[in-house]
Amino acid sequence: MRKKAIIVLSALAVPLLVRNLYLIFLPVPDVGGQGAIDRLIYLHAPAAFTAYSGFFAALVASILFLLKKEFRYDSLAVAATEVSLTFAVVSMATGAIWSRRVWGIWWTWDAGLTVMSVCFLLYLSYLSLRPAIEEPTARARLTAVYSIFAFADIPIVWYTIQWLRTESPAPAFRGGGMQPSGLFANWPAFMMVAAVLVLLRLQQEEMRREIDGLRRLAHA
């Protein structure tokens, strides 16, 4: 079932991504007055939305683990977190490329950029914490609590970008001038890619857990 889901999602995602890239870089006009560099928003924003969605999935999986004590939810939480961090890096990298072209620097302590970097560091710390705890149940429990704590930063990121209009461009749905057809059409494609990566990573995590169990049994 999981293998079929991976094949179906991949078959849907690839042509949709190709179509969207064609629309973004050819027919769609420049949108923000800065030239072609503004087209990065069609990658930047969907990558951020995908990261937020994945972090929410990790939050739900962490809560379910604390309630049900089933390790499959812990595996889902770590898989979703790793994939979401990848999309967060895409969002931050495209933002840095845009700021280098528009502001002349790779980084500025803009409010939106700063809170997003804090979010990235929080979830990176989640992944760093896991290898530091050897006992599986304690590791799953503590990192589940940490994941719930880390998600509290997501609303801060969202409302900072919405309300604190510093140097970053206004969001598409707040008068940023973006083309919704291109901006939001790329989000489902990114979500399907993320789902495929989560399923693959989940399979690896379950195999790793099984190997760890066999190793502990052999040592006992």
Side-chain angles (χ1 to χ4, degrees):
M1 182 64 181
R2 186 180 298 176
K3 185 176 180 180
K4 289 182 179 179
I6 291 173
I7 294 173
V8 171
L9 288 171
S10 299
L12 292 173
V14 170
L16 185 56
L17 281 173
V18 172
R19 169 188 173 274
N20 289 344
L21 289 173
Y22 166 76
L23 292 176
I24 289 168
F25 291 106
L26 290 176
V28 174
D30 296 339
V31 291
Q34 302 293 340
I37 193 68
D38 279 325
R39 296 169 188 263
L40 282 177
I41 193 65
Y42 297 117
L43 301 177
H44 173 79
F49 296 156
T50 303
Y52 300 156
S53 301
F55 291 142
F56 178 74
L59 167 72
V60 173
S62 297
I63 293 173
L64 287 174
F65 173 80
L66 293 176
L67 292 176
K68 298 188 176 183
K69 303 296 188 295
E70 296 180 12
F71 281 104
R72 58 176 176 165
Y73 296 118
D74 177 59
S75 298
L76 177 58
V78 67
T81 299
E82 288 187 3
V83 173
S84 299
L85 268 177
T86 302
F87 281 93
V89 169
V90 171
S91 179
M92 295 175 69
T94 51
I97 294 170
W98 181 89
S99 67
R100 179 66 179 86
R101 171 66 177 81
V102 176
W103 296 332
I105 54 176
W106 292 104
W107 178 264
T108 180
W109 291 104
D110 174 76
L113 294 176
T114 302
V115 294
M116 186 60 187
S117 65
V118 171
C119 175
F120 173 80
L121 291 174
L122 282 171
Y123 280 100
L124 186 63
S125 299
Y126 167 90
L127 296 180
S128 301
L129 177 63
R130 291 185 65 87
I133 305 172
E134 186 174 351
E135 205 282 313
T137 302
R139 176 175 61 234
R141 183 175 63 252
L142 291 175
T143 54
V145 172
Y146 183 90
S147 180
I148 296 170
F149 162 77
F151 187 81
D153 188 60
I154 300 297
I156 297 175
V157 174
W158 179 261
Y159 286 110
T160 296
I161 296 172
Q162 296 281 318
W163 293 343
L164 297 183
R165 296 266 33 91
T166 51
E167 298 182 64
S168 297
F173 37 82
R174 288 292 183 89
M178 312 305 174
Q179 299 290 330
S181 60
L183 181 64
F184 295 107
N186 227 15
W187 187 14
F190 277 26
M191 287 293 291
M192 286 188 282
V193 172
V196 169
L197 294 176
V198 168
L199 289 172
L200 291 173
R201 183 63 186 87
L202 185 60
Q203 193 173 39
Q204 293 175 347
E205 183 66 17
E206 290 174 348
M207 291 176 61
R208 185 200 62 78
R209 194 181 300 279
E210 184 177 351
I211 292 171
D212 283 350
L214 292 172
R215 185 182 295 115
R216 288 175 179 274
L217 183 62
H219 287 167

